[in-house]
Amino acid sequence: MDEDSAVYSFKAWVDGKKIVAELQDKMKAHTKYENALSQGHQALLLKEDKYSRDVFCCNIGNLQLGSKVALTRQYVQELPLGADGALRYVLPAILNPRYQLSGKLNSGNLCRKTEDSCVNMKTPIVPPEDLPYTLSMVTTISSQHSIERVQSNCSSSPVKYLGDDKTAAQVSLTDGHKFDQNVEHLIYYSRVQPSTVEMGMLVMEPAGKTY
């Protein structure tokens, strides 16, 4: 996640059962998670990585063999504005390479510092056509201004407007999308009139001067 992002909701559905996370002190949350596992309950824990605050680790405990799990994380962030007037949203496909390289460095301080970090977890490297998963993504955009168009770097459906004023729209990735690259949306709005500010200047006249 970008540094200017903030998570405000995290939910899980385990075999149809809904689990809603609560914001708690780090140590208290970890203790409650461990206690729930020891009592045989299903539980989840979402936390920032110890040394990389833009990476989150999710633990789900006491899953039964064959269980189906769906996770929903909601967050808010300010989107950067491009020179062409488009807002840019990016869903990263992989962690930044600096995380992958950190475990290979021989610097003593860095290795000791990151040995208990989740960013050092090894993941298999496979060709894009052999990825064992696909990404399903529906993006809903709402604004006080009319949306002119949405461009994506990935194959996606035509923009669907949710009202005549075009202030809300949806765009979906095509079925079977292989999550082998960043998903990027460029959002263009209809012409927005710039705000005009009139400034008055206070003129101080010399003392004793009359009109």
Side-chain angles (χ1 to χ4, degrees):
M1 291 179 56
D2 292 338
E3 293 182 356
D4 59 351
S5 302
V7 176
Y8 66 88
S9 176
F10 184 56
K11 303 174 185 177
W13 284 262
V14 181
D15 293 329
K17 179 182 178 181
K18 183 179 180 181
I19 303 175
V20 180
E22 297 179 353
L23 180 63
Q24 295 183 353
D25 174 77
K26 181 184 297 185
M27 295 304 298
K28 181 180 178 181
H30 186 78
T31 299
K32 291 187 66 174
Y33 174 76
E34 294 296 337
N35 289 340
L37 296 187
S38 64
Q39 296 173 15
H41 300 304
Q42 293 176 336
L44 70 154
L45 178 67
L46 181 71
K47 60 182 180 179
E48 288 181 340
D49 183 76
K50 189 174 182 180
Y51 300 108
S52 301
R53 300 191 62 183
D54 54 346
V55 175
F56 282 78
C57 302
C58 177
N59 296 334
I60 306 177
N62 285 339
L63 289 180
Q64 301 298 320
L65 182 64
S67 293
K68 294 184 178 180
V69 180
L71 302 177
T72 299
R73 181 194 65 183
Q74 294 176 290
Y75 64 95
V76 61
Q77 73 175 100
E78 182 177 358
L79 299 181
L81 181 65
D84 59 351
L87 290 178
R88 180 172 177 263
Y89 171 76
V90 177
L91 178 65
I94 59 174
L95 293 176
N96 192 296
R98 71 178 185 274
Y99 300 134
Q100 298 176 6
L101 296 176
S102 62
K104 299 180 181 180
L105 297 179
N106 293 323
S107 172
N109 291 335
L110 182 58
C111 288
R112 287 195 299 270
K113 184 177 181 180
T114 60
E115 61 185 1
D116 59 347
S117 172
C118 68
V119 298
N120 285 333
M121 297 174 60
K122 295 182 179 180
T123 55
I125 299 177
V126 297
E129 61 272 14
D130 294 334
L131 288 176
Y133 54 82
T134 59
L135 174 66
S136 175
M137 177 177 173
V138 178
T139 304
T140 302
I141 306 162
S142 59
S143 171
Q144 60 180 337
H145 303 296
S146 296
I147 301 168
E148 180 180 333
R149 66 186 187 277
V150 180
Q151 294 181 355
S152 178
N153 65 327
C154 300
S155 178
S156 58
S157 65
V159 177
K160 177 183 177 182
Y161 292 104
L162 306 181
D164 294 337
D165 57 1
K166 296 186 177 182
T167 56
Q170 282 186 343
V171 61
S172 306
L173 294 178
T174 55
D175 294 339
H177 175 76
K178 295 288 188 179
F179 199 16
D180 56 351
Q181 62 175 319
N182 293 348
V183 177
E184 178 179 311
H185 289 323
L186 296 178
I187 306 164
Y188 294 86
Y189 292 95
S190 299
R191 181 176 177 82
V192 179
Q193 295 296 332
S195 300
T196 302
V197 178
E198 294 184 0
M199 178 180 292
M201 182 176 293
L202 178 63
V203 179
M204 301 298 293
E205 297 293 344
K209 189 173 183 178
T210 59
Y211 294 90

